[in-house]
Amino acid sequence: QVQLVESGGGLVQPGGSLRLSCAASGRISSFNIMAWYRQAPGKQRELVASMTKDSSTNYADSVKGRFTISRDSAQNTVYLQMNSLQPEDTAVYYCNAIYVLNYWGRGTQVTVSS
């Protein structure tokens, strides 16, 4: 059973930065894909960024150039560095991992507001 625990969310002003962390109970180097999704109130959950086992990355158009996904395999942790945050980035951010099954964390709230 894979467990994912997100942390690092909070309240930040527009233009600010946050780094989200996703600690996994298993070896993330074994996962086919690790990703970050987000869900804003009244909206569907959407893919923000993903990283494959061979380190290929993919980003939503809305975050390209501002967000960066990375991982530390020794720490079994995936990160999402978020810069130049805007109010429209406000959402609950979820960590996702695919290894045979699809696993989700419980999410961490990110609020961008002045």
Side-chain angles (χ1 to χ4, degrees):
Q1 182 73 13
V2 173
Q3 292 186 328
L4 305 173
V5 179
E6 303 96 335
S7 62
L11 173 64
V12 63
Q13 292 186 342
S17 298
L18 282 175
R19 188 178 79 157
L20 305 183
S21 300
C22 171
S25 61
R27 290 171 53 186
I28 63 173
S29 58
S30 300
F31 299 161
N32 295 321
I33 295 176
M34 293 204 72
W36 287 95
Y37 285 75
R38 67 186 180 187
Q39 187 166 19
K43 295 187 176 181
Q44 291 188 333
R45 191 172 297 190
E46 63 175 357
L47 176 67
V48 176
S50 65
M51 176 179 280
T52 64
K53 186 183 296 188
D54 63 359
S55 300
S56 295
T57 58
N58 181 53
Y59 295 92
D61 287 342
S62 60
V63 307
K64 282 180 181 177
R66 301 188 298 125
F67 291 10
T68 303
I69 188 171
S70 63
R71 69 184 178 203
D72 183 338
S73 296
Q75 298 294 325
N76 287 325
T77 301
V78 175
Y79 302 98
L80 184 68
Q81 178 67 42
M82 306 186 294
N83 298 329
S84 301
L85 284 161
Q86 300 301 319
E88 52 265 35
D89 295 315
T90 295
V92 178
Y93 284 70
Y94 297 91
C95 182
N96 170 260
I98 298 176
Y99 179 70
V100 182
L101 300 176
N102 205 2
Y103 298 93
W104 294 93
R106 292 189 175 184
T108 184
Q109 176 71 46
V110 171
T111 302
V112 185
S113 175
S114 56

